[in-house]
Amino acid sequence: MTDTPTPRLPHRHLLGIEQLSPADVTAILDRAEDYVALNRARDKKKSTLRGLTQINLFFENSTRTQASFEIAGKRLGADVMNMSVRTSSMSKGETLLDTAATLNAMHPDLIVVRHQHSGAVALLAQKVDASVINAGDGRHEHPTQALLDALTIRRRKGRLHRLTVAICGDVAHSRVARSNMILLGMMENRVRVVSPPTLLPPEIDRYGVEVFHDMEKGLEGADVVMMLRLQQERMEGAFVPSQREYFHRFGLDHRKLACAKPDAIVMHPGPMNRGVEIDALVADDPERSVIGEQVEMGVAVRMAVLELLAEAQGTAA
Ligand code: NCD
């Protein structure tokens, strides 16, 4: 009789941080740590996903997330296929579920999905045999972004608990903020959101965060300052008076950053609107900004997630 080892990640899909336990988060980050070193080495290839097919199905534009998942899959030896809506038959009116059925018939093992509607990724996951990873669904969740942020914080601060983290800007439209509020709260950090009232989601009370409408007050004593992009494409009508006024009140410059702890780090998931939510001088400040490191950690975290899901399915080599 052979013993099947208990998978480190007891899940078939990664649809959100909401489904994870603190132990799951730690298991993913610990595995990702191994890949940070591999990614800096000359030979970056492993073969744990050899023979497996990974489809990156992107219904919404993406540069870094798609590239990051593609590199992650290839470094682990999977065959990776990128499919974006503009080139698929979605534009001919095929539904999400028809696309799911078509792809399923090709026997992919891992499907990475980004979609403009909250909940679309979970719906697709019910219709396919593959493991599904949510790469961002509407305003809902973006779990691998929160995990890569967590890895960046843990490496920089030496821990992922009892930190004061200020998440600033367009929280209402941000799946990054939502996934981060859940993850950082679950790991017992003090989470604040700093935003104009018009850019707060109506259900903000659910997250157990402190709400501020003033940057100076919200950043006071923060260990981590996480800036969010003003998501104009998800806004109908005026949520902010003007970009200039927004920068004046909520844009992160060195003057506002001085309210945070002297060693506070500055994060941004990208893409950035320089001069809108963040001053270029802060974004490019090597002493404070960890934005480049977030991108680096993204590949390591996605390798960890792909591999742990394949292990849970018993398909990893
Ligand atoms: C974020 C996203 O798409 O949710 N970007 C990303 O994944 N790097 C944030 C954003 O679009 O502002």
Side-chain angles (χ1 to χ4, degrees):
M1 201 178 91
T2 50
D3 276 345
T4 319
T6 319
R8 296 245 171 86
L9 195 64
H11 302 284
R12 182 158 149 225
H13 308 296
L14 177 62
L15 301 176
I17 298 296
E18 202 140 43
Q19 78 184 78
L20 301 180
S21 67
D24 294 338
V25 170
T26 303
I28 295 169
L29 301 188
D30 289 348
R31 180 67 63 93
E33 250 340 313
D34 297 341
Y35 289 125
V36 176
L38 182 79
N39 288 337
R40 290 178 180 175
R42 152 72 182 74
D43 185 354
K44 303 171 185 62
K45 274 291 244 200
K46 276 192 73 184
S47 55
T48 44
L49 300 189
R50 205 171 70 192
L52 303 188
T53 301
Q54 172 188 333
I55 298 178
N56 296 335
L57 178 60
F58 278 66
F59 294 99
E60 222 184 47
N61 285 343
S62 162
T63 326
R64 72 195 73 211
T65 305
Q66 187 172 328
S68 183
F69 271 111
E70 182 175 356
I71 289 175
K74 286 181 172 167
R75 288 202 179 145
L76 294 174
D79 291 310
V80 184
M81 195 269 258
N82 289 308
M83 196 173 150
S84 68
V85 257
R86 277 150 291 130
T87 55
S88 82
S89 48
M90 278 303 282
S91 45
K92 296 177 200 156
E94 197 174 63
T95 68
L96 175 70
L97 296 183
D98 287 335
T99 306
T102 304
L103 292 180
N104 197 45
M106 299 182 201
H107 301 296
D109 302 280
L110 295 145
I111 307 181
V112 178
V113 191
R114 170 169 285 197
H115 199 279
Q116 59 276 18
H117 294 141
S118 308
V121 179
L123 184 65
L124 185 136
Q126 289 170 16
K127 305 289 174 189
V128 295
D129 303 312
S131 287
V132 172
I133 301 171
N134 182 2
D137 63 325
R139 304 171 185 195
H140 177 230
E141 279 228 44
H142 190 353
T144 58
Q145 178 70 44
L147 287 161
L148 74 89
D149 291 338
L151 183 61
T152 308
I153 295 170
R154 197 176 80 167
R155 287 171 63 92
R156 282 288 179 143
K157 294 286 155 201
R159 65 182 198 273
L160 189 60
H161 58 275
R162 306 190 68 168
L163 293 166
T164 300
V165 183
I167 303 177
C168 312
D170 187 356
V171 181
H173 300 101
S174 180
R175 52 200 176 205
V176 174
R178 209 180 122 84
S179 290
N180 264 302
M181 290 190 289
I182 301 170
L183 190 154
L184 293 167
M186 169 171 56
M187 303 312 274
E188 299 186 4
N189 295 284
R190 192 163 174 184
V191 184
R192 302 174 180 171
V193 297
V194 189
S195 143
T198 47
L199 292 180
L200 276 181
E203 79 287 0
I204 190 68
D205 292 345
R206 245 190 258 161
Y207 299 100
V209 298
E210 290 172 89
V211 175
F212 293 83
H213 301 304
D214 178 283
M215 282 289 270
E216 275 87 353
K217 292 198 182 100
L219 295 195
E220 208 180 295
D223 297 287
V224 176
V225 181
M226 188 180 287
M227 300 308 299
L228 301 170
R229 183 173 66 88
L230 198 57
Q231 299 200 20
Q232 320 243 29
E233 79 279 13
R234 296 189 207 276
M235 297 179 192
E236 283 155 30
F239 280 75
V240 291
S242 73
Q243 291 196 350
R244 225 184 110 154
E245 170 75 9
Y246 184 79
F247 180 72
H248 177 68
R249 291 198 52 205
F250 292 98
L252 185 68
D253 55 14
H254 274 114
R255 189 182 57 80
K256 296 190 191 89
L257 182 58
C259 300
K261 285 210 181 130
D263 63 348
I265 54 170
V266 174
M267 309 181 78
H268 193 303
M272 278 184 275
N273 296 308
R274 289 164 185 266
V276 180
E277 71 267 356
I278 190 164
D279 186 6
L281 291 172
V282 172
D284 300 330
D285 181 349
E287 300 285 312
R288 313 303 293 273
S289 167
V290 297
I291 295 168
E293 202 169 310
Q294 287 174 267
V295 178
E296 182 187 6
M297 295 308 126
V299 177
V301 155
R302 286 165 182 134
M303 289 170 82
V305 167
L306 291 166
E307 194 175 73
L308 288 164
L309 288 177
E311 281 175 12
Q313 291 280 79
T315 54

